[in-house]
Amino acid sequence: MPGSNDKPLARFKLRKAIRIIGSLFYGLLLILGAILLAQILTGGTSNPFRKQGYITKKFEAAESVFNKFYGHQECGASLSEIYTPPEPGSDQAKLHTAFCPTRKVLLEALSNGGRNGLDAPYNPRGCHYRWFTTEEICMILSRFESIILIGDNALQSTYGGLNILLRKDLATGALRHWEISSEQRENCKCDRQFSAGECQPFLIAESKQMVARDQAQVSSSHPYACSKPNLISTLKHLLPSSRAESHRPIPIVTSFSSLSLSPSVSTQSLNTLAHTLHNLLPKRKTPILTLGPPAAGSSISAKAVAQSGNDKRIFYSKELSTISANGGDFEWLGTWNLTIQAESLDGERYGVRVAVVEAMMVSVSNRLSHSTPESD
């Protein structure tokens, strides 16, 4: 009968109409997506990373957090005195490429930078690095099973700077301050926590010292900001405890320059370290980052100059940098340029400003270790 197919026909027309509308809507989304992508690729305002004020706002936010660190006024260390972000300018393409694109380029830029005067902010050469907040550093560290720092006294500055950033404490963040008397604590604040001999025994040697204190619920004015820090300073102490099923990388940060300014001795030590890591963890990524020696300051003793003056440090740095670039089992991060115009009380050890910049260099380079092989 003529009326028997009216309802099925109506449902068929309705479904067809829905499909047509859906196709039109999907096509509209594709068009809008293409327009959005085109704006991003051509420097349009849809990309927030290319907005004129984006870098400035990010820096102001980081500076606001940094200026809330304990001791920032007492130590006279504001972020603007330590770090200068790239200038936004009017060239949108240049703004987009202001930051170093790969870990290799970043390490070269950080190693070969300079300052515009004594204790001025350190600027990499050719491209820039980002300054992360403590919370962002925690996110970077969470990407790894652990980060191992193993080496000499020069590496203590980097590790101390990392503790300062994680504890948000510029005055005593590198120290086990709970073991120090009130009088000693006053004498060990700010730069002196690194340079004063009486403060050296109280420097934090491994993260377990802080973690155990926090877990025991002992009053600590500045605990770690991260819920699960993994910063261990001894290689063999850490590796056996690593979970077999975990595949997250374990970056190794080393420094052997104060033990010997012999490139051959250091290279042999690094090769042995790489071989040991490969045997212990054959399926795990364990990239090695080696820090070069700091500059010898003007206050260094004549005996120290004869044994390890700047000429020897420069030669050592150039040799290790070349070995790394020619396929060595390690990456190289020089610190001579960073410290040559930095103030030092004894010509060997530097203060808070150098320590936190070194720590940020290591954090930033570890973040870029997730870049693709092609970009490395």
Side-chain angles (χ1 to χ4, degrees):
M1 297 179 63
S4 61
N5 294 326
D6 288 349
K7 290 184 179 180
L9 182 59
R11 285 196 295 268
F12 171 76
K13 289 182 178 180
L14 179 61
R15 286 197 298 268
K16 186 175 181 181
I18 291 174
R19 285 199 299 270
I20 293 172
I21 294 173
S23 298
L24 291 173
F25 182 70
Y26 179 69
L28 181 62
L29 286 179
L30 289 177
I31 293 172
L32 290 174
I35 294 173
L36 179 63
L37 179 61
Q39 286 182 320
I40 292 174
L41 294 176
T42 57
T45 58
S46 298
N47 186 352
F49 292 92
R50 292 193 177 182
K51 288 183 178 179
Q52 287 283 347
Y54 178 78
I55 292 177
T56 302
K57 289 179 180 178
K58 283 285 290 182
F59 173 71
E60 290 174 350
E63 184 173 37
S64 175
V65 173
F66 189 84
N67 289 345
K68 293 177 183 177
F69 280 23
Y70 174 75
H72 88 92
Q73 290 183 329
E74 186 176 7
C75 299
S78 66
L79 184 55
S80 58
E81 297 172 330
I82 298 173
Y83 174 80
T84 302
E87 291 291 335
S90 57
D91 189 337
Q92 296 296 316
K94 184 178 292 187
L95 175 60
H96 180 64
T97 58
F99 295 107
C100 301
T102 67
R103 187 172 71 250
K104 180 180 179 181
V105 173
L106 173 67
L107 291 173
E108 291 176 354
L110 291 173
S111 299
N112 298 299
R115 302 177 187 266
N116 294 319
L118 183 66
D119 269 348
Y122 182 73
N123 296 310
R125 187 176 72 178
C127 58
H128 219 66
Y129 72 106
R130 300 179 188 274
W131 190 276
F132 293 104
T133 64
T134 298
E135 290 70 25
E136 289 171 325
I137 294 174
C138 289
M139 292 177 63
I140 293 170
L141 296 181
S142 69
R143 297 182 175 188
F144 306 104
E145 179 71 15
S146 299
I147 295 181
I148 304 172
L149 293 94
I150 179 170
D152 54 22
N153 293 334
L155 195 59
Q156 181 67 63
S157 172
T158 305
Y159 184 65
L162 197 51
N163 276 295
I164 286 172
L165 293 172
L166 292 176
R167 298 177 67 190
K168 300 183 179 181
D169 181 355
L170 289 166
T172 59
L175 300 172
R176 303 189 306 277
H177 63 82
W178 57 90
E179 298 179 7
I180 308 176
S181 66
S182 299
E183 182 178 354
Q184 283 180 308
R185 195 177 303 169
E186 288 300 315
N187 294 331
C188 290
K189 285 187 174 180
C190 304
D191 290 339
R192 289 184 61 82
Q193 61 189 308
F194 294 101
S195 59
E198 63 183 298
C199 310
Q200 298 297 302
F202 300 103
L203 286 166
I204 297 173
E206 57 179 331
S207 60
K208 291 202 305 182
Q209 295 172 339
M210 276 298 302
V211 174
R213 178 175 172 82
D214 294 342
Q215 290 176 344
Q217 297 183 339
V218 180
S219 175
S220 177
S221 55
H222 307 104
Y224 278 135
C226 302
S227 58
K228 188 184 178 182
N230 275 314
L231 302 170
I232 311 299
S233 59
T234 306
L235 178 65
K236 291 186 178 179
H237 179 72
L238 173 85
L239 291 178
S241 64
S242 299
R243 298 190 305 275
E245 68 274 11
S246 176
H247 295 286
R248 288 186 297 174
I250 301 178
I252 315 295
V253 184
T254 67
S255 177
F256 301 125
S257 56
S258 69
L259 302 177
S260 171
L261 282 174
S262 166
S264 60
V265 171
S266 292
T267 302
Q268 184 178 0
S269 299
L270 288 164
N271 290 339
T272 301
L273 176 61
H275 181 72
T276 302
L277 290 167
H278 178 74
N279 288 339
L280 290 173
L281 296 171
K283 296 182 179 180
R284 188 79 68 92
K285 290 183 178 180
T286 53
I288 300 174
L289 175 66
T290 300
L291 271 61
S298 58
S299 303
I300 193 172
S301 66
K303 181 180 178 180
V305 169
Q307 293 177 342
S308 57
N310 277 324
D311 54 342
K312 295 181 179 179
R313 299 182 187 216
I314 292 173
F315 174 76
Y316 174 88
S317 297
K318 287 183 177 179
E319 288 294 302
L320 266 291
S321 174
T322 301
I323 293 171
S324 172
N326 291 335
D329 292 327
F330 61 93
E331 293 178 307
W332 176 260
L333 176 59
T335 65
W336 194 90
N337 284 28
L338 169 67
T339 50
I340 186 60
Q341 286 186 290
E343 192 171 339
S344 171
L345 294 178
D346 62 359
E348 285 282 358
R349 291 167 291 194
Y350 295 85
V352 169
R353 292 169 179 80
V354 168
V356 294
V357 171
E358 285 177 341
M360 191 60 65
M361 286 178 171
V362 171
S363 298
V364 173
S365 62
N366 276 325
R367 178 178 184 267
L368 285 178
S369 70
H370 281 271
S371 55
T372 61
E374 289 76 12
S375 63
D376 287 344

